[in-house]
Amino acid sequence: MVRFASAVLIVACLLTLSACRQAATTSTLEIQEHDIEEGTITFSFTIDKAGWLVLHPATSEGEPDTSEELGKSYIPSAGEWTNDRATPEAVETDCTFFMVLYYDEPADGVFTFTPGGNQDPPVEVEGEIVQDSFTVPAAPSYVELTQNVSNNTITIEGLTYQAGLLVVLRPATPEGELDTSTMIKVWEIPYAGPFKFTVTTPGTLDEGDILFAVLHYDDPDDNLFSFTPDGDEDLPVKVDGSVVLDSLEVSG
């Protein structure tokens, strides 16, 4: 039975606000740039009194899910903030997020909004909530192999959305295919997210040999690698039907 990594949402939005530029009379919020590949989005907003800038996920209907708060930043006074940045982390499926402005009412510096409540209400202009959205495109799980000839090391790095997976280093068959009968080394990936391991290039390898790194489930969850080509334990992770792996040719 092939299983897929669960779609765990990993979003850390660093809402670090720059200094207030000027007094504001009309509240606005706009996301100007959406350069997720470079790791940031750029946004500007104005608010007419102290409040909050809050990051929410989207509901299945494409509206802000105000019952869930992913990040927030306190806005101490009325003013205009321009070219501020947020840094979202990778997500396994395309995900939409909303930035929403709220007033700090009562003025206590504590975000106490609840859906249907009357504290820290969303900012509205002409009956419309002041908000904007952006979509983070999917970044599938992957593994990548690189070699540093100068210090005789191999680096295995990648991204996963499930803690406790295994990454396995294997040689190639004489035909240059993945040799699933031989294992050089295995690592447990303790956390979801990016991972990186470095190992001294195995002395059994010669220049021109092929190495593979393959991502596997630890199922059963026993911290032991028990995969066999004909078995059903510790199966390889697949994305869109393909095993998550990478290979490299060893240099001298």
Side-chain angles (χ1 to χ4, degrees):
M1 178 180 65
V2 176
R3 299 194 311 175
F4 294 84
S6 60
V8 177
L9 182 64
I10 308 172
V11 173
C13 195
L14 307 180
L15 302 179
T16 304
L17 302 181
S18 58
C20 176
R21 302 300 196 274
Q22 63 186 50
T25 56
T26 302
S27 298
T28 62
L29 173 60
E30 180 184 8
I31 297 172
Q32 296 104 333
E33 297 180 11
H34 183 184
D35 194 354
I36 297 300
E37 290 185 0
E38 294 297 324
T40 62
I41 61 169
T42 303
F43 59 96
S44 297
F45 66 91
T46 59
I47 192 168
D48 56 340
K49 57 183 176 181
W52 296 90
L53 178 62
V54 182
L55 181 70
H56 296 292
T59 65
S60 57
E61 292 78 26
E63 299 296 327
D65 182 357
T66 56
S67 67
E68 185 173 353
E69 171 196 319
L70 300 175
K72 63 179 181 291
S73 187
Y74 181 60
I75 308 165
S77 63
E80 178 183 3
W81 281 259
T82 60
N83 297 323
D84 283 288
R85 294 189 174 188
T87 306
E89 293 185 3
V91 291
E92 191 172 14
T93 57
D94 290 356
C95 291
T96 298
F97 303 94
F98 283 84
M99 289 182 179
V100 183
L101 283 177
Y102 292 82
Y103 287 124
D104 186 26
E105 295 178 354
D108 55 6
V110 179
F111 186 62
T112 52
F113 168 83
T114 57
N118 58 9
Q119 295 190 351
D120 293 348
V123 177
E124 293 189 16
V125 174
E126 297 181 354
E128 298 291 332
I129 293 175
V130 179
Q131 63 187 31
D132 203 357
S133 65
F134 62 95
T135 299
V136 179
S141 296
Y142 74 92
V143 63
E144 183 176 70
L145 272 171
T146 56
Q147 181 183 11
N148 188 323
V149 177
S150 64
N151 64 9
N152 196 36
T153 58
I154 300 289
T155 297
I156 304 97
E157 58 187 315
L159 174 70
T160 177
Y161 295 90
Q162 180 175 326
L165 297 185
L166 304 169
V167 60
V168 183
L169 192 64
R170 292 188 182 278
T173 65
E175 295 75 29
E177 301 297 325
L178 173 66
D179 184 354
T180 57
S181 67
T182 305
M183 179 183 69
I184 297 173
K185 192 171 180 63
V186 60
W187 294 266
E188 181 185 11
I189 305 170
Y191 306 107
F195 64 87
K196 184 175 183 179
F197 303 101
T198 299
V199 62
T200 300
T201 304
T204 55
L205 297 175
D206 297 320
E207 184 174 359
D209 284 348
I210 305 297
L211 270 180
F212 289 87
V214 188
L215 201 59
H216 283 258
Y217 294 105
D218 184 21
D219 183 13
D221 183 9
D222 55 7
N223 297 319
L224 298 174
F225 185 59
S226 51
F227 169 82
T228 59
D230 298 324
D232 60 0
E233 295 186 353
D234 295 351
L235 294 174
V237 175
K238 292 187 177 182
V239 172
D240 295 332
S242 298
V243 174
V244 179
L245 58 76
D246 192 27
S247 64
L248 67 78
E249 182 176 331
V250 176
S251 300

